[in-house]
């Protein structure tokens, strides 16, 4: 990708291990490529957490805020269910 666009990462559904997917190409975003969006590495976007797609033909910058909210909700539901 030559122009850096912002995409919204998705939380994979029905997975045993929570996985974030690139909002552009649906590739898995590895944990090593997920960062807090603050300090020296701040991207110019209103997003607290970003994930960089590692697919060779993609490289999209993803906002993970909504996907992380969904993951937190799922964890709370599982705790409540026992």
């Amino acid at each position: 990708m030559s122009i850096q666009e912002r995409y919204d990462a998705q939380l994979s559904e029905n997975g045993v291990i929570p996985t974030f997917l690139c909002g552009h190409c649906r590739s898995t975003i590895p944990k090593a490529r997920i960062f807090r969006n603050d300090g020296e590495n701040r991207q110019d976007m209103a997003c607290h957490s970003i994930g960089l797609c590692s697919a060779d033909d993609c490289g999209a910058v993803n906002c993970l805020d909504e996907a992380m909210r969904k993951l937190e909700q799922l964890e709370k539901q599982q705790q409540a269910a026992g």
Side-chain angles (χ1 to χ4, degrees), residues 19-38:
T19 305
F20 297 109
L21 304 174
C22 175
H24 179 253
C25 70
R26 306 281 296 160
S27 293
T28 300
I29 299 174
K31 186 177 182 177
R33 296 186 55 101
I34 297 174
F35 307 95
R36 298 288 304 157
N37 191 24
D38 56 8

Side-chain angles (χ1 to χ4, degrees), residues 5 20 30 69 75 81:
E5 295 182 44
F20 297 109
R69 264 192 292 279
E75 288 173 346

Side-chain angles (χ1 to χ4, degrees), residues 13-64:
E13 296 181 19
N14 301 325
V16 175
I17 298 173
T19 305
F20 297 109
L21 304 174
C22 175
H24 179 253
C25 70
R26 306 281 296 160
S27 293
T28 300
I29 299 174
K31 186 177 182 177
R33 296 186 55 101
I34 297 174
F35 307 95
R36 298 288 304 157
N37 191 24
D38 56 8
E40 294 178 17
N41 298 323
R42 185 159 182 80
Q43 297 285 323
D44 188 23
M45 60 174 34
C47 186
H48 297 290
S49 298
I50 58 171
L52 305 176
C53 182
S54 60
D56 290 338
D57 59 344
C58 183
V61 176
N62 289 267
C63 179
L64 276 82

